[in-house]
Amino acid sequence: VAALVALSFSGAIGLTFLMLGCALEYYGVYWPLFVLIFYFICPIPHFIAKRVSDDSDATSSACRELAYFFTTGIVVSAFGFPIILARVEAIKWGACGLVLAGNAVIFLTILGFFLVFGRGDDFSWEQW
């Protein structure tokens, strides 16, 4: 239960950074909210690889490695998107910093979720 509370708290902190990067009056542009799409599609390759490959005791699986590759591409794109927006002056660099801080916290929260609830025991995300 403590892990679930800590994960929800860190998720709220990450979303707060993202909202501050958008909603502060000095920044006032909501383009960085498109990063939410990356948050939602980040775990999808892992879910597909977990469903497709049944050999969980194998040391390496091509499907799992491909899922890691796609997930890495999604995470790098989520960090690159606000930098590109700031570079073309669609958002200010301060908003970019807040969004990057939110990205780091949210992606660490997603990683923590899979580390805590991905063990395959009775209290795992696979039963949700």
Coordinates of all heavy atoms in Angstrom, one line a residue, residues 74-121:
I74 N 10.0 6.1 -27.5 CA 8.9 6.9 -27.0 C 9.4 7.9 -25.9 O 9.0 9.1 -25.9 CB 7.7 6.0 -26.5 CG1 7.1 5.3 -27.7 CG2 6.7 6.8 -25.7 CD1 6.2 4.2 -27.3
V75 N 10.2 7.4 -25.0 CA 10.7 8.2 -23.9 C 11.6 9.3 -24.4 O 11.5 10.5 -24.0 CB 11.4 7.3 -22.8 CG1 12.1 8.2 -21.8 CG2 10.4 6.4 -22.2
V76 N 12.5 9.0 -25.4 CA 13.4 10.0 -25.9 C 12.6 11.0 -26.7 O 12.9 12.2 -26.6 CB 14.4 9.3 -26.8 CG1 15.2 10.3 -27.7 CG2 15.4 8.5 -26.0
S77 N 11.5 10.6 -27.4 CA 10.7 11.6 -28.1 C 10.0 12.5 -27.1 O 9.8 13.7 -27.4 CB 9.6 10.8 -28.9 OG 10.3 10.1 -29.9
A78 N 9.5 11.9 -26.0 CA 8.9 12.8 -25.0 C 9.8 13.8 -24.4 O 9.4 14.9 -24.1 CB 8.3 11.9 -23.9
F79 N 11.1 13.5 -24.3 CA 12.0 14.5 -23.8 C 12.5 15.5 -24.9 O 12.8 16.6 -24.7 CB 13.3 13.8 -23.2 CG 13.1 13.4 -21.8 CD1 12.8 12.1 -21.5 CD2 13.3 14.2 -20.8 CE1 12.6 11.6 -20.3 CE2 13.1 13.8 -19.5 CZ 12.7 12.5 -19.2
G80 N 12.4 15.0 -26.2 CA 12.8 15.9 -27.3 C 11.7 16.8 -27.7 O 12.0 17.9 -28.2
F81 N 10.5 16.5 -27.5 CA 9.4 17.3 -27.9 C 9.4 18.7 -27.3 O 9.3 19.7 -28.0 CB 8.0 16.6 -27.7 CG 6.8 17.3 -28.1 CD1 6.6 17.5 -29.5 CD2 5.9 17.8 -27.2 CE1 5.5 18.2 -29.9 CE2 4.8 18.5 -27.6 CZ 4.6 18.7 -29.0
P82 N 9.5 18.8 -26.0 CA 9.5 20.2 -25.4 C 10.8 21.0 -25.8 O 10.7 22.2 -26.0 CB 9.4 20.0 -23.9 CG 9.6 18.6 -23.7 CD 9.4 17.8 -24.9
I83 N 11.9 20.3 -26.0 CA 13.1 21.0 -26.5 C 12.9 21.5 -27.9 O 13.3 22.7 -28.2 CB 14.3 20.0 -26.4 CG1 14.6 19.7 -25.0 CG2 15.5 20.6 -27.1 CD1 15.6 18.6 -24.8
I84 N 12.3 20.8 -28.7 CA 12.0 21.3 -30.1 C 11.0 22.4 -30.0 O 11.2 23.4 -30.8 CB 11.5 20.1 -31.0 CG1 12.6 19.2 -31.3 CG2 10.9 20.7 -32.3 CD1 12.1 17.9 -32.0
L85 N 10.0 22.3 -29.2 CA 9.0 23.4 -29.1 C 9.7 24.7 -28.6 O 9.4 25.8 -29.0 CB 7.9 23.1 -28.1 CG 6.8 22.1 -28.6 CD1 5.8 21.8 -27.5 CD2 6.1 22.7 -29.8
A86 N 10.7 24.6 -27.6 CA 11.4 25.7 -27.1 C 12.3 26.3 -28.2 O 12.5 27.5 -28.3 CB 12.1 25.4 -25.8
R87 N 12.9 25.4 -28.9 CA 13.9 25.8 -30.0 C 13.2 26.6 -31.1 O 13.8 27.6 -31.6 CB 14.5 24.6 -30.6 CG 15.6 24.8 -31.6 CD 16.9 25.0 -31.0 NE 17.9 25.1 -32.1 CZ 18.9 25.9 -32.0 NH1 19.1 26.6 -31.0 NH2 19.7 25.9 -33.1
V88 N 12.0 26.3 -31.5 CA 11.3 27.0 -32.5 C 10.5 28.2 -31.9 O 9.6 28.8 -32.5 CB 10.4 26.1 -33.4 CG1 11.2 25.1 -34.1 CG2 9.3 25.5 -32.5
E89 N 10.7 28.4 -30.6 CA 10.0 29.5 -29.8 C 8.5 29.4 -29.8 O 7.8 30.4 -29.7 CB 10.5 30.8 -30.4 CG 12.0 31.1 -30.2 CD 12.5 32.4 -30.8 OE1 11.6 33.1 -31.3 OE2 13.7 32.6 -30.8
A90 N 8.0 28.2 -29.8 CA 6.6 28.0 -29.5 C 6.3 28.1 -28.0 O 5.2 28.5 -27.6 CB 6.1 26.6 -30.1
I91 N 7.2 27.7 -27.2 CA 7.1 27.8 -25.7 C 8.4 28.5 -25.3 O 9.4 28.5 -26.0 CB 6.9 26.5 -25.0 CG1 8.1 25.5 -25.2 CG2 5.6 25.8 -25.5 CD1 8.0 24.2 -24.4
K92 N 8.4 28.9 -24.0 CA 9.6 29.5 -23.4 C 10.5 28.4 -22.8 O 10.0 27.3 -22.5 CB 9.2 30.6 -22.4 CG 8.5 31.8 -23.0 CD 8.2 32.8 -21.9 CE 7.8 34.1 -22.5 NZ 6.6 34.1 -23.2
W93 N 11.8 28.8 -22.6 CA 12.7 27.8 -22.1 C 12.4 27.4 -20.7 O 12.7 26.3 -20.2 CB 14.1 28.3 -22.2 CG 14.6 28.1 -23.6 CD1 14.7 29.1 -24.6 CD2 15.1 26.9 -24.3 NE1 15.2 28.6 -25.8 CE2 15.4 27.3 -25.6 CE3 15.2 25.6 -23.9 CZ2 15.9 26.3 -26.5 CZ3 15.7 24.7 -24.8 CH2 16.0 25.0 -26.1
G94 N 11.8 28.3 -19.9 CA 11.4 27.9 -18.5 C 10.3 26.9 -18.5 O 10.3 26.0 -17.7
A95 N 9.4 27.0 -19.4 CA 8.3 26.0 -19.6 C 8.9 24.7 -20.0 O 8.5 23.6 -19.5 CB 7.2 26.5 -20.5
C96 N 9.9 24.8 -20.9 CA 10.6 23.5 -21.3 C 11.2 22.8 -20.1 O 11.1 21.6 -20.0 CB 11.6 23.9 -22.4 SG 12.6 22.5 -22.9
G97 N 11.9 23.6 -19.3 CA 12.5 23.0 -18.1 C 11.5 22.3 -17.2 O 11.7 21.3 -16.6
L98 N 10.4 23.0 -17.0 CA 9.3 22.4 -16.1 C 8.8 21.1 -16.7 O 8.5 20.1 -16.0 CB 8.2 23.4 -15.9 CG 8.5 24.5 -14.9 CD1 7.5 25.6 -14.9 CD2 8.7 24.0 -13.5
V99 N 8.6 21.1 -18.0 CA 8.0 19.9 -18.7 C 9.1 18.8 -18.7 O 8.7 17.6 -18.4 CB 7.6 20.3 -20.1 CG1 7.2 19.0 -20.9 CG2 6.4 21.2 -20.2
L100 N 10.3 19.1 -18.8 CA 11.4 18.1 -18.7 C 11.5 17.5 -17.3 O 11.6 16.3 -17.1 CB 12.7 18.7 -19.2 CG 12.9 19.0 -20.6 CD1 14.2 19.6 -20.9 CD2 12.7 17.7 -21.5
A101 N 11.3 18.3 -16.3 CA 11.3 17.9 -14.9 C 10.1 17.0 -14.7 O 10.2 15.9 -14.1 CB 11.3 19.0 -13.9
G102 N 8.9 17.4 -15.2 CA 7.7 16.5 -15.1 C 7.9 15.2 -15.9 O 7.4 14.2 -15.4
N103 N 8.5 15.2 -17.0 CA 8.8 14.0 -17.8 C 9.6 13.1 -17.0 O 9.4 11.9 -16.9 CB 9.5 14.3 -19.1 CG 8.6 14.8 -20.2 OD1 7.4 14.7 -20.1 ND2 9.2 15.3 -21.2
A104 N 10.7 13.6 -16.3 CA 11.6 12.7 -15.6 C 10.8 12.1 -14.4 O 10.9 10.8 -14.2 CB 12.8 13.5 -15.0
V105 N 10.0 12.8 -13.7 CA 9.2 12.3 -12.6 C 8.2 11.3 -13.1 O 8.0 10.2 -12.5 CB 8.6 13.4 -11.8 CG1 7.7 12.9 -10.7 CG2 9.7 14.3 -11.2
I106 N 7.5 11.6 -14.1 CA 6.4 10.7 -14.6 C 7.0 9.4 -15.1 O 6.5 8.3 -14.8 CB 5.6 11.4 -15.7 CG1 4.7 12.5 -15.1 CG2 4.7 10.4 -16.4 CD1 3.6 12.0 -14.2
F107 N 8.1 9.5 -15.9 CA 8.7 8.2 -16.4 C 9.3 7.4 -15.3 O 9.3 6.2 -15.4 CB 9.6 8.5 -17.6 CG 9.0 8.9 -18.8 CD1 9.2 10.1 -19.5 CD2 8.0 8.0 -19.4 CE1 8.6 10.4 -20.7 CE2 7.4 8.4 -20.6 CZ 7.7 9.6 -21.2
L108 N 9.9 8.0 -14.3 CA 10.4 7.2 -13.2 C 9.2 6.6 -12.4 O 9.3 5.5 -11.9 CB 11.2 8.1 -12.3 CG 12.6 8.5 -12.8 CD1 13.3 9.5 -11.9 CD2 13.4 7.2 -13.0
T109 N 8.1 7.3 -12.4 CA 6.9 6.7 -11.7 C 6.4 5.5 -12.5 O 6.0 4.5 -11.9 CB 5.8 7.8 -11.7 OG1 6.2 8.9 -10.9 CG2 4.5 7.2 -11.0
I110 N 6.4 5.6 -13.8 CA 5.9 4.5 -14.7 C 6.9 3.3 -14.5 O 6.5 2.1 -14.3 CB 5.8 4.9 -16.1 CG1 4.7 5.9 -16.3 CG2 5.6 3.7 -17.1 CD1 4.7 6.5 -17.7
L111 N 8.2 3.6 -14.5 CA 9.2 2.5 -14.2 C 9.0 1.9 -12.8 O 9.0 0.7 -12.7 CB 10.6 3.1 -14.3 CG 11.7 2.1 -14.0 CD1 11.8 1.0 -15.0 CD2 13.0 2.9 -13.9
G112 N 8.7 2.7 -11.8 CA 8.5 2.2 -10.5 C 7.2 1.4 -10.4 O 7.2 0.4 -9.7
F113 N 6.2 1.7 -11.2 CA 5.0 0.9 -11.2 C 5.3 -0.5 -11.7 O 4.9 -1.5 -11.2 CB 4.0 1.6 -12.1 CG 2.7 0.8 -12.3 CD1 1.7 0.9 -11.3 CD2 2.5 0.1 -13.4 CE1 0.6 0.1 -11.4 CE2 1.3 -0.7 -13.5 CZ 0.4 -0.6 -12.5
F114 N 6.1 -0.6 -12.8 CA 6.4 -1.9 -13.3 C 7.4 -2.7 -12.4 O 7.3 -3.9 -12.4 CB 7.0 -1.8 -14.8 CG 5.9 -1.5 -15.8 CD1 5.9 -0.3 -16.4 CD2 5.0 -2.4 -16.1 CE1 4.9 0.0 -17.4 CE2 4.0 -2.2 -17.0 CZ 3.9 -1.0 -17.7
L115 N 8.2 -2.0 -11.7 CA 9.1 -2.7 -10.8 C 8.4 -3.2 -9.6 O 8.7 -4.3 -9.1 CB 10.3 -1.8 -10.4 CG 11.3 -1.4 -11.5 CD1 12.3 -0.4 -10.9 CD2 12.0 -2.7 -12.0
V116 N 7.4 -2.4 -9.1 CA 6.7 -2.8 -7.9 C 5.6 -3.8 -8.2 O 5.5 -4.8 -7.5 CB 6.1 -1.6 -7.2 CG1 5.1 -2.0 -6.1 CG2 7.2 -0.7 -6.6
F117 N 4.8 -3.6 -9.3 CA 3.7 -4.4 -9.5 C 3.9 -5.4 -10.6 O 3.0 -6.2 -11.0 CB 2.5 -3.6 -9.9 CG 2.0 -2.7 -8.7 CD1 2.2 -1.3 -8.8 CD2 1.5 -3.3 -7.6 CE1 1.8 -0.5 -7.7 CE2 1.1 -2.5 -6.6 CZ 1.3 -1.1 -6.6
G118 N 5.1 -5.5 -11.2 CA 5.4 -6.5 -12.3 C 6.1 -7.7 -11.9 O 6.6 -8.4 -12.7
R119 N 6.0 -8.1 -10.6 CA 6.7 -9.3 -10.2 C 6.0 -10.6 -10.5 O 6.6 -11.6 -10.4 CB 6.9 -9.2 -8.7 CG 7.9 -8.1 -8.3 CD 8.1 -8.1 -6.8 NE 6.8 -7.8 -6.1 CZ 6.6 -6.8 -5.3 NH1 7.6 -6.0 -5.1 NH2 5.5 -6.6 -4.7
G120 N 4.7 -10.5 -10.8 CA 4.0 -11.7 -11.1 C 3.4 -12.4 -9.9 O 2.9 -13.6 -10.0
D121 N 3.4 -11.8 -8.8 CA 2.7 -12.4 -7.6 C 1.2 -12.1 -7.6 O 0.7 -11.7 -8.6 CB 3.4 -11.9 -6.3 CG 3.4 -10.4 -6.2 OD1 3.0 -9.7 -7.1 OD2 3.9 -9.9 -5.2

